[in-house]
Amino acid sequence: NAGVTQTPKFRILKIGQSMTLQCTQDMNHNYMYWYRQDPGMGLKLIYYSVGAGITDKGEVPNGYNVSRSTTEDFPLRLELAAPSQTSVYFCASTMGRSPLHFGNGTRLTVT
Amino acid sequence: DAKTTQPNSMESNEEEPVHLPCNHSTISGTDYIHWYRQLPSQGPEYVIHGLTSNVNNRMASLAIAEDRKSSTLILHRATLRDAAVYYCILRDYWGRSNSGYALNFGKGTSLLVT
């Protein structure tokens, strides 16, 4: 099992550009999450999904969109990148009460 | 969610035991104590969890105070590979919150091993 795979690992965007952060998991987990982590801080929940076709906002959803068309994939879309979105983004998944499994993150810089 | 308090940072020598404390004075009877760690440039990974009794696994031990208002993650012999940020998180037994089964990660304790 590959676990949770995130691509790309690094990306530099100009202000106003758009991009999609990819996340896929091969553990057949129902629940998937997107977090962001600013330097020296904990993780903040952006969006989550409880199953294919069902998504909802977390603590800091502004400026992002998600979709969940399959159990495996949970992409995160940035439509108009802003410097405040410079961060490390982590995708995670779980079956429920079992531990969360995280990817290794996407480091995004917006200049 | 009940809150946890951890020191910002700790230092340890290699091959020595490390005791990472966590205070959770407002813990409820159905809250499990979870520990995750985040190695440099990686996502968090699960370490251990427990409810009332002390727990051991291949990575660490978890000692829980009798009143459950504090707990300690014990690394028996720290190595350089244990240098990471350690997060203490409370999760209700049922796990379900307003955000599915998401966990709230604070700043954690940054462990330096030399």
Side-chain angles (χ1 to χ4, degrees):
Chain A
N1 285 351
V4 178
T5 303
Q6 292 184 237
T7 56
K9 289 191 171 117
F10 303 94
R11 184 73 187 266
I12 298 174
L13 281 182
K14 294 189 185 302
I15 294 171
Q17 286 185 321
S18 301
M19 78 164 293
T20 299
L21 283 68
Q22 302 291 345
C23 174
T24 187
Q25 51 92 8
D26 61 358
M27 298 171 283
N28 203 32
H29 286 169
N30 289 331
Y31 298 86
M32 295 188 74
Y33 309 89
W34 275 105
Y35 288 89
R36 61 175 284 173
Q37 184 174 34
D38 298 330
M41 305 297 286
L43 282 72
K44 293 187 179 179
L45 184 66
I46 305 171
Y47 269 96
Y48 69 98
S49 169
V50 301
I54 306 170
T55 63
D56 208 344
K57 297 176 181 178
E59 182 185 356
V60 289
N62 292 343
Y64 308 94
N65 279 300
V66 294
S67 60
R68 184 95 180 271
S69 57
T70 67
T71 299
E72 295 77 21
D73 300 306
F74 190 39
L76 178 72
R77 178 90 179 152
L78 282 71
E79 290 294 348
L80 291 170
S84 61
Q85 293 177 306
T86 294
S87 190
V88 182
Y89 293 83
F90 290 101
C91 179
S93 72
T94 181
M95 269 306 291
R97 287 164 50 193
S98 59
L100 267 66
H101 294 257
F102 282 83
N104 282 330
T106 294
R107 187 175 297 274
L108 176 66
T109 301
V110 182
T111 61
Chain B
D1 292 337
K3 186 177 175 180
T4 63
T5 303
Q6 300 177 252
N8 288 333
S9 62
M10 291 184 65
E11 282 191 45
S12 173
N13 295 321
E14 252 193 304
E15 305 298 320
E16 290 186 357
V18 181
H19 291 235
L20 296 160
C22 181
N23 287 323
H24 28 78
S25 58
T26 59
I27 191 170
S28 75
T30 56
D31 280 338
Y32 275 79
I33 303 156
H34 290 249
W35 284 83
Y36 281 71
R37 74 178 185 179
Q38 186 174 18
L39 302 172
S41 300
Q42 293 189 26
E45 64 175 346
Y46 167 80
V47 177
I48 200 167
H49 76 282
L51 183 64
T52 56
S53 304
N54 295 344
V55 185
N56 300 297
N57 66 21
R58 63 174 180 82
M59 289 180 72
S61 296
L62 176 59
I64 302 172
E66 198 170 329
D67 63 5
R68 300 209 327 124
K69 293 186 177 182
S70 65
S71 60
T72 302
L73 180 71
I74 303 166
L75 308 178
H76 294 287
R77 289 180 64 196
T79 70
L80 295 177
R81 287 174 295 180
D82 291 319
V85 177
Y86 288 79
Y87 300 96
C88 171
I89 303 167
L90 301 183
R91 174 191 259 190
D92 181 79
Y93 172 78
W94 298 109
R96 195 68 188 257
S97 66
N98 290 336
S99 304
Y101 291 90
L103 294 177
N104 293 320
F105 287 82
K107 291 185 181 180
T109 297
S110 179
L111 176 65
L112 177 66
V113 181
T114 56

